[in-house]
Amino acid sequence: MWYKTYMAPGSSNEKKPDDGQASKENFIHLCNPHLEKMKEDILYHFALGTGTHDFPTLFGDVKFVCVGGSPSRMKAFIAYIAEELGLGSAGCDYPNICAGTDRYAMYKVGPVLSVSHGMGIPSISIMLHELIKLLYHAKCSDITIIRIGTSGGIGLEPGSVVITRQSVDATFKPQLEQVVLGKTVIRSTNLDEQLAQELMQCSKEIGQFNTVIGNTMCTLDFYEGQGRLDGAICLYDEEEKLQYLKNAYESGVRNIEMESSVFAAMCNLSGVKAAVVCVTLLNRLEGDQISSPHDVLVEYQQRPQKLVGYFIKKSLGKV
């Protein structure tokens, strides 16, 4: 029998692991007892496996994981953070750890891991399953995972940075609905409030761009799901679009993207401290198409990197 299970916004109908399953060092939770029975765990989309790679040696010192959409952006980030931490210099090359596949790219320098996740909930979900297992097999502890990326703003000047308080769905509820074995599972999409405040303080110390804490709406597509008028299909008018975006703003939404809900939900279930930091490329109340010059967009996209890079430096006592 097929049926839906409804839960209140922000709640979950799944049990998190007991606190006793992790030590005081805050190791990764794995919400899957079946993995213990496996002799080898193949992380297929990373082209890595516990039978072929020594995860503790390769990744055991990781404390910060930054994830973002494109491989080129995450390679640029690892080069940037390497210089900031004094672990590399301009022109250094950083090998792709996942070179055996073209699905995702992964780079590492010191305690920082940089991983691409592609576009949309399905792509980042696959990546996160394997990333969380990688961190578990590597025996990593006290991990912070931050998604850095781009988004459409609501009521903000282009170039503003949004630190997500809650990821909400297209009806403004802080939850992720996922069908598992024919049943709809509701998962919480809250993010770590203390981490958000720490990132906000870092932005104030940098003092280079406008930053706000607000809700992020995570949608299933770029066009109709975000109320755009410029897709191949659009069966609503501009007035309806603007009213929807104004309703979103009034509910606390400050930007729109396509990955934050499953990111928040999976990090919550795995006991990982997480944040989402995205720059806005346009104000959706004023239009749908991204028309800023290329050099301006490049500078905008560097803002989340600068903020998260400063946070990592500060956390390591290098500021």
Side-chain angles (χ1 to χ4, degrees), residues 73 147-153 156-163 209-211 254-257 276-282 296-305 307:
R73 188 184 303 159
R147 167 171 140 67
I148 56 176
T150 58
S151 64
L156 296 174
E157 287 297 313
S160 298
V161 171
V162 179
I163 301 167
F209 39 80
N210 179 48
T211 303
R254 293 297 176 267
N255 65 332
I256 311 173
E257 46 86 270
V276 177
V277 180
C278 289
V279 69
T280 61
L281 301 183
L282 76 167
V296 173
L297 293 175
V298 169
E299 194 279 321
Y300 285 171
Q301 292 179 35
Q302 291 172 349
R303 293 180 180 186
Q305 295 187 20
L307 174 51

Side-chain angles (χ1 to χ4, degrees), residues 52-200:
T52 54
H53 297 79
D54 184 345
F55 283 25
T57 298
L58 290 171
F59 306 108
D61 61 340
V62 170
K63 295 297 180 185
F64 304 94
V65 182
C66 295
V67 302
S70 74
S72 61
R73 188 184 303 159
M74 300 322 293
K75 186 172 185 177
F77 176 75
I78 207 68
Y80 172 77
I81 198 64
E83 284 195 64
E84 290 293 298
L85 297 179
L87 299 174
S89 57
C92 282
D93 187 41
Y94 300 92
N96 177 10
I97 298 170
C98 297
T101 177
D102 60 359
R103 297 293 184 182
Y104 302 105
M106 180 186 296
Y107 306 94
K108 182 182 181 297
V109 63
V112 182
L113 196 64
S114 178
V115 191
S116 69
H117 59 60
M119 190 182 300
I121 288 174
S123 184
I124 192 174
S125 171
I126 294 167
M127 187 282 292
L128 284 170
H129 274 282
E130 299 190 11
L131 173 64
I132 290 165
K133 292 196 296 176
L134 180 153
L135 297 171
Y136 174 82
H137 292 310
K139 305 185 188 318
C140 295
S141 62
D142 301 313
I143 294 289
T144 298
I145 303 181
I146 303 177
R147 167 171 140 67
I148 56 176
T150 58
S151 64
I154 302 181
L156 296 174
E157 287 297 313
S160 298
V161 171
V162 179
I163 301 167
T164 303
R165 175 180 289 111
Q166 293 178 314
S167 174
V168 301
D169 63 17
T171 64
F172 318 140
K173 295 177 183 177
Q175 63 183 37
L176 170 71
E177 286 193 14
Q178 183 170 353
V179 178
V180 180
L181 301 181
K183 303 174 186 177
T184 297
V185 176
I186 307 297
R187 291 173 174 167
S188 170
T189 54
N190 291 331
L191 287 156
D192 191 282
E193 181 66 26
Q194 181 179 344
L195 178 56
Q197 293 296 337
E198 290 174 5
L199 287 161
M200 187 67 188

